[in-house]
Amino acid sequence: MGLFANLFGNKKPTKTKMLEIIAPISGQIIDIETVPDTVFSEKIAGDGIAIKPSGDQILAPINGIIGKIFSSKHAFSIESENQDLQMFVHFGIDTVKLKGEGFTQIAEEGQKVKQGDLILKYNLPFLEKNAKSTITPIIISNMEDITEIKKMKGTVIAGTTIIMYIKK
């Protein structure tokens, strides 16, 4: 189990298929290995991509159920509706130290969401000034259940652009 396994149950997938993950935030995709935090760059928490953000909102990357929304509002977990994919979206590095400042929570824990639904809003100028980094990892936390991950490159638009294809 990954570092964030306690945020989810131990459910196993039922069948193999390709899942499309859409961008939860707008910005520029960067390699996860370049994130300035070893938990993400060394894939301790799981594998995925990171985005250097623009805009002001974080959307649901998949259809599913919101798991944990951290009290500091900088991160949340989401599990796909058929419970075969567990994801973690973590805005910035050391943003937990801001204790929620710069973020507004829209969705609630346990809420069923569709791809593109608004989860959190953020104040990018404030966060660029006060956080160590605004680079945002989007992680698949149940990598032991994944057989293939295809990562996209380039500029992405929240709620529109596919950032990863996942094969179970």
Side-chain angles (χ1 to χ4, degrees):
M1 286 294 198
L3 179 65
F4 298 104
N6 62 330
L7 299 174
F8 308 100
N10 290 326
K11 300 173 182 99
K12 294 293 177 191
T14 55
K15 60 182 178 177
T16 301
K17 62 180 177 176
M18 290 297 285
L19 299 169
E20 294 178 350
I21 311 302
I22 63 162
I25 60 174
S26 295
Q28 182 70 34
I29 291 178
I30 64 168
D31 291 332
I32 196 71
E33 294 86 0
T34 65
V35 173
D37 183 324
T38 56
V39 169
F40 300 110
S41 64
E42 295 181 8
K43 302 179 185 176
I44 295 167
D47 198 0
I49 57 111
I51 297 174
K52 176 70 176 154
S54 59
D56 66 355
Q57 53 189 356
I58 305 175
L59 309 177
I62 57 175
N63 295 336
I65 308 273
I66 299 296
K68 174 83 176 155
I69 297 178
F70 288 70
S71 60
S72 51
K73 301 176 183 74
H74 75 290
F76 68 93
S77 64
I78 184 170
E79 186 171 32
S80 63
E81 54 194 351
N82 57 1
Q83 303 170 334
D84 63 351
L85 185 66
Q86 300 162 355
M87 297 187 66
F88 185 65
V89 178
H90 187 282
F91 188 98
I93 305 303
D94 289 346
T95 44
V96 66
K97 294 177 181 177
L98 299 174
K99 299 179 180 170
E101 203 172 346
F103 297 96
T104 302
Q105 182 177 332
I106 307 300
E108 298 296 327
E109 290 181 1
Q111 181 178 333
K112 187 174 183 176
V113 295
K114 296 286 186 194
Q115 276 186 331
D117 285 355
L118 183 59
I119 309 298
L120 300 165
K121 291 187 72 73
Y122 60 90
N123 179 329
L124 187 57
F126 173 83
L127 294 166
E128 286 175 332
K129 182 178 178 185
N130 294 285
K132 177 180 176 181
S133 171
T134 58
I135 292 172
T136 300
I138 296 97
I139 302 297
I140 307 300
S141 45
N142 63 324
M143 284 303 297
E144 66 275 6
D145 297 330
I146 306 301
T147 59
E148 183 182 346
I149 181 170
K150 182 178 179 186
K151 302 174 187 182
M152 303 294 101
K153 303 267 186 209
T155 301
V156 296
I157 298 168
T160 303
T161 311
I162 295 170
I163 58 169
M164 289 184 277
Y165 289 96
I166 307 298
K167 186 174 185 181
K168 306 273 312 155

